[in-house]
Amino acid sequence: MPVIAHGAMVVARTADKLVGSLAERISEKIFAGEYPPGSPLRQEALAEEFAVSRTPIREALRQLEAKGVIEHRPNQGAIVRAHDARDIRDAYQVRAELEGLAISLAAEWITDEQIARMRGAQKKFSVVVDKLIAARRSNPKTRLKDVPSWVESNDDFHNVVIEASGNQRLKQMIRDLHQGFTRNLMLSALTMDGRRMRENVAQHEAILAAIARHDPVEARKAMTHHILRSGELLVWWLEREGGLR
């Protein structure tokens, strides 16, 4: 291969890697709530923030638009997408099937060490839920300082399942589905009262029991129910709060 052609390929791969990294970093900020739904994403401001030119920013935004994370509006440019009830239901239906597939694969391949990690994440999850419920009972307006650890233990629980499935393409598809739904939004919905938090804990227990028995049918059933129920709660909370279009 000519030296010039090889050099061009290297440059192209480097550019693609930069665009992918920028898309991921912007998406993470959207998920964290730093760029709220409906907020504009100005190419100039993003280029300055990430210390790059506008060209890779523009390409990164195109990637996020293709994934449904952002949208372009006339005379406004790129906007963080604000999801409606149908968007959420559609996403959670697909997520339920994908994570159901992941756990059915994981039920066959999961190791004792991975099951132990799931148990550890679930124990931490349950402890934090107890603390959140107690804090809410003593003061309904209390700031939920334990929410970050609630999120981390929940993520750890689900991530072990996806890891144990051994399917990298499936892992990426599930990750893509998480994009666009801000962390603050999901936290507000799922920490609204003790009964719903307890329900979440019970669903995790059912999932853990089934996968520990290496039962792919029951594990998939429990995971699918869990994800669909979470989507229903998110829609219900947003409709109650007037947060849906």
Side-chain angles (χ1 to χ4, degrees), residues 5 46 69 85 90 99 126 136-137 173 222 225:
L46 291 172
V69 177
D90 287 351
E99 294 206 34
S126 181
R136 277 282 179 84
R137 284 175 178 168
M173 292 174 70
H225 170 72

Side-chain angles (χ1 to χ4, degrees), residues 93-129:
Q93 283 175 353
V94 175
R95 183 184 160 193
E97 291 301 315
L98 292 178
E99 294 206 34
L101 172 59
I103 201 167
S104 65
L105 294 172
E108 180 178 358
W109 302 110
I110 196 165
T111 65
D112 290 343
E113 184 271 337
Q114 288 170 324
I115 291 174
R117 281 161 52 199
M118 285 185 72
R119 287 198 174 105
Q122 175 62 2
K123 182 177 180 180
K124 181 180 178 182
F125 184 80
S126 181
V127 168
V128 174
V129 165

Side-chain angles (χ1 to χ4, degrees), residues 4-86:
I4 293 177
H6 176 73
M9 289 178 62
V10 171
V11 170
R13 284 197 295 267
T14 301
D16 288 344
K17 186 175 181 179
L18 173 61
V19 170
S21 174
L22 288 169
E24 184 172 347
R25 291 168 69 186
I26 294 169
S27 179
E28 287 173 351
K29 285 180 174 288
I30 292 172
F31 184 60
E34 294 183 41
Y35 306 148
S39 62
L41 295 173
R42 307 296 185 195
Q43 291 183 23
E44 298 87 348
L46 291 172
E48 182 177 351
E49 179 178 353
F50 293 108
V52 297
S53 69
R54 290 175 57 183
T55 299
I57 291 292
R58 182 169 58 250
E59 294 304 315
L61 292 177
R62 285 176 179 170
Q63 286 189 10
L64 294 177
E65 183 179 19
K67 293 179 179 181
V69 177
I70 68 172
E71 59 183 329
H72 276 82
R73 296 180 184 173
N75 303 318
Q76 295 186 57
I79 303 292
V80 178
R81 188 174 180 184
H83 295 277
D84 59 22
R86 182 169 182 176

Side-chain angles (χ1 to χ4, degrees), residues 168-214:
Q168 292 302 310
R169 180 61 63 87
L170 185 59
K171 178 180 179 179
Q172 185 60 52
M173 292 174 70
I174 292 171
R175 185 176 182 179
D176 288 346
L177 274 175
H178 282 275
Q179 295 181 341
F181 294 95
T182 70
R183 185 176 293 264
N184 291 342
L185 185 67
M186 291 185 287
L187 287 173
S188 297
L190 295 175
T191 60
M192 51 191 155
D193 64 50
R195 182 177 65 82
R196 289 179 173 83
M197 284 190 278
R198 289 288 190 195
E199 180 181 323
N200 215 254
V201 172
Q203 290 164 5
H204 274 200
E205 293 288 357
I207 292 167
L208 182 55
I211 200 169
R213 296 195 307 269
H214 298 276

